[in-house]
Amino acid sequence: MFAYIIRRLVYGVVTLFALSLVVFLLIQFSGGSPLDRLKLNPRMQPVIAQLTELWGLDKPWYEQYFIWLRNFVTPVDVPAQEGLIVVLGKLGIRSWVAIAAAVAAVGYTVALFFVKVKANWWRTFRAFSIILTWLIAFWIIKSRIVFALNWGISFRGDGPVWDNIFGAAGNTFRLGATALLLALIVGIPLGIYQAIKQYSFFDQLGTMLSFITFSTPIFIIGVMLQLILALYMERWTGVKLFYVVGMTSSGYEELGRGLFGLPSLAQLGDVIQHLTLPAISIAAISMAGYSRFQRASMLEVMHSDYLRTAKAKGLPRRTVVVKHALRNALIPIVTLVSLDVAFIIGGAIITESIFGWPGVGRLYIGAIQSIDYPTIMAVVMAIGAGVVVMNIVADILYGVLDPRVRYD
Amino acid sequence: MTERESASEAILDVAEGISAEPITQWDLFVTRLRRHRLATIAFFYMGFIGFVALLAPLFTCQKDDTFCGRGPVEMSGLTTVLMLATALLVGYFAYRSFVSKLRGMAVALTFVTVVLGIFLVSSWGLLDVPHVNHYADQLPDESGRILVNIAPRGSIPLGTDDLGRDVLARVIHGGRASLAVGLVVGALVALLGTVIGSLAGYYPGVVDQSLMRFTDLVLGLPLLPVAIVVGRVLPELQFLPGFLKQGAWGIAVLVGLLVWGALARIVRAEFLSLREKEFVEAARAAGASDRRIIFRHILPNALSPIIVQTTLIVGTAIILEAALSFLGFGVRPPIPTWGGMAASGASIAVRGFWWELVFSAGALISTVLAINFIGDGLRDALDPTQTIERK
């Protein structure tokens, strides 16, 4: 198992290398300098010279690639403003604390896999302690904002890419996590109910609806929701239920603070009004997929031999469905959910640009439009790393939940 | 007697020794496919969409074309009805020829060849963009004013957009991009996925390992972000030939090169299991070459997942192209695509002009839906474990 994870991680790193090379070459061969926009402004001459030297923009592409690669993995200290351009400093003591936290988290995770205890409580403890360690490490790294990798400075003059991405990632996480949760709590029960009432009117209706949703591009769902549930509804009924742009209203801070610095009810309501429509548009397709998948997996279990045995023993139908069927039918969907992360990130890119959501997706689209290559590379690598990690997590989870699966 | 009965009757005839006419796999396939009502309708619909999109330059007027009188306004009334009627007829015959019992395959192939020929002849509209802008024509009224944002009405069945262009003409032309993407991606995926998957599945060891690592690599790329980068820089890439930079072809090739991985895995899995079967062993014992075993023994048995998966990937590819065009990194305006029309339609729908968005979105959704139904129907029809008497 451990060797398997290490091997997968190595493949993952190779994939990321290939990804970075492909994107880098595409940008290199697309003609024109990435600094073309800055050149329009005569005041930017010193900045251009500085960036050209920093990124080796006058060197051949392979040297530029290695400069980028070296910078990409180099830790740097808090960015400091200097003239027109942000300069990333050398490592300070606080950065070393953050790095030590990250190394400790990795080390603890690796070390735990060497401890051989065959007990269920140990598995649970291991899983929770790893998650906890990573949360703490992440908090140390993030909360001080002392630690950064030298992902460069946006060519659009937005400051350090690391800060931009970590600022936007939280917003994308809020959107994506809500969407995933929504898809799960609607999709799975729907699929289970459809399987229990196979061939009923509800089942056929659900199948038809998920087929249609599955064939609808995410941008059409987003635009339609925006138009019908927000704009046209307000126009016809005068009720403003949802907002279509941004994460909060402009008067968000005046809505009052709740206890312990938590948002007040009014603020929570405002957030929900903004969050609902983009979350639904990302979730809709996954929802359809989950309900289809859950239905199939539930049906497969319902027709299995051991379930017939359970029924034949005279167990109540409820026990049969919940204890025997449902538990096993939920296993496959765990993998599906982990693999769905890539799809949700893709959906977030489209949805964020429709709903003006200040997340990674909008950052990416903006960077693409002006070929701001430090940002493009960083976003692509971050998403690629997320996909690689989630693929590995999917495999591990599957092995943990289904004891028949063995890795070699 | 309906066709469904006739097929069952034929099977019974053979079974009871009344008729000596053999029942081929094709007959069984067609009979099963016809059971799938929605797939049947979807086939019909795709024939219709394909026909309309392929012949789009013939239906809509060209600039300064005297045949159309004052321009596309006149044509949209009666000609639309004629066009729809012809298209329905041809679509029906396409469908009939595809599923007809008698030499269905031959007729279908002929039909596909003819259609492809027409497509190639008429596809200059996509290849040579600047000279053809019938879909970019603005509609003037008698006094010469441009009719901007006109709601659907008699002579303009689907209204006009914010530049005064006929939405119907643009929806028809927009289908060409989706169709080109569907065709090219289908062909590319079927080719790449099958070749790589079967080589990896048949030759274990180094070949399998290296090909599969490569496949994993391609599958590991985050699809949409990479597609967006490529779509963005595509028109500026220096080493590409001109026709790939503009229009749908470049996007189609790009999408095709990104999505074949899933099929390769499926084909490999099929090959791995089929390779160990007794009939392959028998063929090998009889001295058949690798090439013969692959092409004559294994591939025909692995065909059904290939067909089904390719169909489903085509649906995904059309959505991906539309999403790219919607974001502005796919086919660039003024070439109409459904995704691009949805983007511009969304911006004017805010002011209440819903038609461009609704009709382009409707065309897109119904096409992808039809493709998915066809995939579903094919999956059922190609499944040999399904008996013909199943419900």
Side-chain angles (χ1 to χ4, degrees), chain B residues 19 102 135 169 198 313 319:
Chain B
S19 157
L102 191 69
Y135 44 75
S198 44
I313 288 178
I319 288 187

Side-chain angles (χ1 to χ4, degrees), chain A residues 204-237:
Chain A
Q204 311 227 334
L205 184 75
T207 306
M208 200 64 213
L209 279 181
S210 43
F211 238 107
I212 293 175
T213 317
F214 219 74
S215 309
T216 309
I218 204 160
F219 59 87
I220 289 180
I221 299 180
V223 164
M224 288 292 185
L225 285 175
Q226 202 176 36
L227 286 172
I228 295 170
L229 287 186
L231 290 172
Y232 288 174
M233 197 167 105
E234 196 193 343
R235 198 165 297 165
W236 294 330
T237 64

Side-chain angles (χ1 to χ4, degrees), chain A residues 252-270:
Chain A
Y252 179 75
E253 289 304 323
E254 280 93 74
L255 288 172
R257 279 265 151 199
L259 295 170
F260 310 119
L262 290 169
S264 65
L265 273 182
Q267 282 182 327
L268 205 63
D270 188 62

